[in-house]
Each structure stands twice: as structure tokens, then as C-alpha cells.
Amino acid sequence: GSGAMAAFKTITVTSTTVNGAAKYKVSDGTTSSAAKDLGVAAAYMTSAESVTVSILASDGTTVLGTGTLNVASAASDVSIDIQ
């Protein structure tokens, strides 16, 4: 294996241009965070270098769009291309 250690990543989606978006969740392909309201931080344990961010409707389950976020290094004010 790569020997990568899992670490807490704090991810906050503050805004989106996706119509109807109210919540988001983060996944590394193995585990997912709980659905969080936009603007609320998700503390997430992962050893992955990138995660998938899903933009959700207010029900917390309907996926309106997804994008990839690089979490290998600390960053702020990052734009994600949501498809």
C-alpha cells in the first residue's frame, strides 16, 4: 500500500450555484460524511488525496450534482466544478 495515514480533513461548502441546493456530503469512495447544511463544516477522516463532494437538496438524499475536491494539502476558497 501507499502507507498513507488517515487524517481529519475539515471541509465546508459555503455556497453553490446549483439550484435547490441546501446540503452537501463528502465521500472518499469508502466512507461518506453525514449530510451537512451549506456553511456547516464536515470533519471527515480520510487517507484519500481527493474526495467527491455531492450537492444535495433539502431532503439530504437527492443528489443535485457532484464534483471532486483535492484534499492532499490545506487550501481555502477552492472552487469545485460541479457536474
Side-chain angles (χ1 to χ4, degrees):
S2 65
M5 287 182 40
F8 269 112
K9 309 288 184 175
T10 302
I11 298 166
T12 308
V13 176
T14 55
S15 64
T16 179
T17 58
V18 177
N19 286 336
K23 299 178 181 286
Y24 72 98
K25 70 179 177 181
V26 181
S27 173
D28 63 6
T30 303
T31 58
S32 296
S33 70
K36 297 287 186 178
D37 290 331
L38 293 178
V40 175
Y44 186 68
M45 179 75 86
T46 184
S47 58
E49 291 193 359
S50 65
V51 295
T52 299
V53 176
S54 298
I55 304 298
L56 308 172
S58 59
D59 64 8
T61 57
T62 302
V63 177
L64 303 175
T66 59
T68 301
L69 176 64
N70 184 322
V71 293
S73 58
S76 60
D77 233 2
V78 176
S79 292
I80 305 169
D81 183 24
I82 301 295
Q83 301 294 320

